[in-house]
Amino acid sequence: MSGLTRTFYLFTGFHSFLLGLLPLFIAVILWDKGLTISHISYVIALTAAGFVAALYYWDRLRATHSWRKLISLSFIFQSVFVLLLVWDNQLALVTIGALINGAAGCFYWSTQRLLFQAITEDKNTGNTFGNFQILVVFALKIGVLVGSYLLGIEYFISLLALSLLLSLLGFSLVNKSLQGKSELYDLKQVPAFSLKQIIGFKDSHHSVMIFTVDGLFLFLESYFWMLTIYMLTQENVMQLGLILIALSILLALIFFFIKKQIDRINAQIIYSIAVIGYACSWLFRAQLNEESSTVMLYSGLLLIAFLSNFFRLAFNKRFYDIARREQPTRYIICKSYYSQFMLILLFSVIGFFTVSTGQALQQLQVLYYLCIPLVFIYFVYGNKYSHQSSHA
């Protein structure tokens, strides 16, 4: 394993565990603190604003090869956000906390994408993403197991101490993996991008259209779908953690068997099936409720998890393959800018229309139904790319 690959997996592994430890339960924690669906929507919008502001600074650090700062700030922002989550001050959490959460997300996800792009090759993105997905599944869910247990027994100080300790250890090991190795510093970095360059981005793959909807689905899954599962399982955080772990073990087995094959099968067929399956997953989400039988609930959760993760595998393969053929750094940064700007708009609208005191689960079900047509926008992504691939 090369030094660059080792750095990527160390960085991703530690952050995945830290995300599972507490931030994965953001929506649940906000809900338990008395926030409504409308309030949580505005928190997401503010988180996106924090991401955009941090991305401007991140891009300039990236352009100057300030890898140590990029890595250290990803752990620092994560730790500060965990501190605000544990600290029982609702106003600070939903304002400063949301902005810090956005900054933490920016420094983690943007750095991770850049590192992932650097270690992939034209013919191995499916396999590499499969390996990455398995790592994330195990690291994230070990964090979930520990985090849900400590949350369930309200050992908040232990959660905070563990998060801070692992952040320090993670930074130390990732930084050590960089010492004496020039691979990361040898990566050619283009100058930082201006807002004019971002606005002027355009390609033949309909990428801008995809960027504007993809962030919506990612945040619906990580916030509102997580909250939906919590509501459907009697609002028991330890039970939620065990469900997530059980699903992850099954998904890890699935990815283990398909991660190599996805690079061998016609990419367009895989992608089309994945998009249709993803649309079905949102239909299934909208239909699960408190009256669903135990068998239907848990089989539905497994099916939804599989369809969603299979779509992410196919989508990310296409995303990184297209990025490699374009200008990778600009492509990745443009995705973040467009996705986050649209998140500010969309979740502000969702917050406005969910301000009523209606039943929260019903509000979420209506939202899932409304999102189904948007899934089919993914079909237009990379038509030129898929045509070229089929003739390669």
Side-chain angles (χ1 to χ4, degrees), residues 173-217:
L173 291 177
V174 174
N175 185 59
K176 185 178 180 180
S177 75
L178 292 177
Q179 293 177 357
K181 300 179 178 67
S182 61
E183 291 174 271
L184 195 56
Y185 294 94
D186 288 342
L187 290 176
K188 185 178 179 181
Q189 293 299 324
V190 295
F193 297 99
S194 66
L195 186 58
K196 182 178 180 180
Q197 289 175 299
I198 299 299
I199 294 174
F201 173 79
K202 188 177 181 180
D203 69 0
S204 59
H205 303 295
H206 305 287
S207 295
V208 171
M209 187 184 301
I210 299 303
F211 295 166
T212 57
V213 301
D214 193 51
L216 170 67
F217 286 108

Side-chain angles (χ1 to χ4, degrees), residues 82-101:
V82 168
L83 176 62
L84 290 169
L85 269 179
V86 173
W87 186 30
D88 193 20
N89 187 313
Q90 189 180 96
L91 180 60
L93 176 58
V94 301
T95 53
I96 299 173
L99 292 171
I100 294 295
N101 184 35

Side-chain angles (χ1 to χ4, degrees), residues 12-259:
T12 301
F14 270 97
H15 269 292
S16 296
F17 182 88
L18 290 168
L19 284 171
L21 195 62
L22 201 59
L24 187 69
F25 299 103
I26 293 173
V28 171
I29 293 171
L30 294 176
W31 177 258
D32 284 343
K33 287 181 180 291
L35 274 69
T36 64
I37 298 300
S38 179
H39 292 146
I40 297 174
S41 298
Y42 286 124
V43 167
I44 295 172
L46 200 55
T47 295
F51 192 112
V52 170
L55 184 58
Y56 181 85
Y57 182 53
W58 177 92
D59 190 26
R60 276 134 190 85
L61 290 176
R62 183 246 350 134
T64 57
H65 291 270
S66 301
W67 294 105
R68 188 169 183 175
K69 286 184 179 179
L70 290 174
I71 291 169
S72 61
L73 284 171
S74 72
F75 285 107
I76 290 171
F77 283 129
Q78 187 73 57
S79 298
V80 173
F81 178 62
V82 168
L83 176 62
L84 290 169
L85 269 179
V86 173
W87 186 30
D88 193 20
N89 187 313
Q90 189 180 96
L91 180 60
L93 176 58
V94 301
T95 53
I96 299 173
L99 292 171
I100 294 295
N101 184 35
C106 170
F107 274 82
Y108 168 53
W109 290 108
S110 300
T111 305
Q112 182 218 81
R113 286 170 183 157
L114 204 61
L115 291 173
F116 182 84
Q117 186 63 40
I119 68 171
T120 54
E121 300 171 0
D122 288 333
K123 298 298 183 181
N124 77 339
T125 47
N127 183 38
T128 304
F129 187 77
N131 289 329
F132 158 67
Q133 189 73 9
I134 291 172
L135 170 68
V136 168
V137 162
F138 280 107
L140 186 70
K141 301 319 175 187
I142 292 173
V144 167
L145 179 63
V146 177
S148 60
Y149 174 74
L150 293 176
L151 274 176
I153 60 177
E154 299 185 352
Y155 274 27
F156 301 119
I157 300 302
S158 298
L159 267 173
L160 178 59
L162 182 59
S163 178
L164 294 176
L165 179 63
L166 288 173
S167 292
L168 182 61
L169 179 61
F171 168 72
S172 177
L173 291 177
V174 174
N175 185 59
K176 185 178 180 180
S177 75
L178 292 177
Q179 293 177 357
K181 300 179 178 67
S182 61
E183 291 174 271
L184 195 56
Y185 294 94
D186 288 342
L187 290 176
K188 185 178 179 181
Q189 293 299 324
V190 295
F193 297 99
S194 66
L195 186 58
K196 182 178 180 180
Q197 289 175 299
I198 299 299
I199 294 174
F201 173 79
K202 188 177 181 180
D203 69 0
S204 59
H205 303 295
H206 305 287
S207 295
V208 171
M209 187 184 301
I210 299 303
F211 295 166
T212 57
V213 301
D214 193 51
L216 170 67
F217 286 108
L218 286 171
F219 272 76
L220 284 176
E221 286 190 45
S222 59
Y223 281 76
F224 286 157
W225 177 235
M226 183 69 65
L227 184 57
T228 300
I229 299 175
Y230 183 59
M231 293 176 179
L232 292 174
T233 54
Q234 291 77 50
E235 300 193 2
N236 184 312
V237 71
M238 293 182 70
Q239 184 177 349
L240 174 62
L242 291 174
I243 290 171
L244 296 177
I245 291 165
L247 291 174
S248 298
I249 292 173
L250 293 172
L251 291 174
L253 292 173
I254 293 171
F255 279 113
F256 178 78
F257 288 109
I258 70 173
K259 67 186 180 71

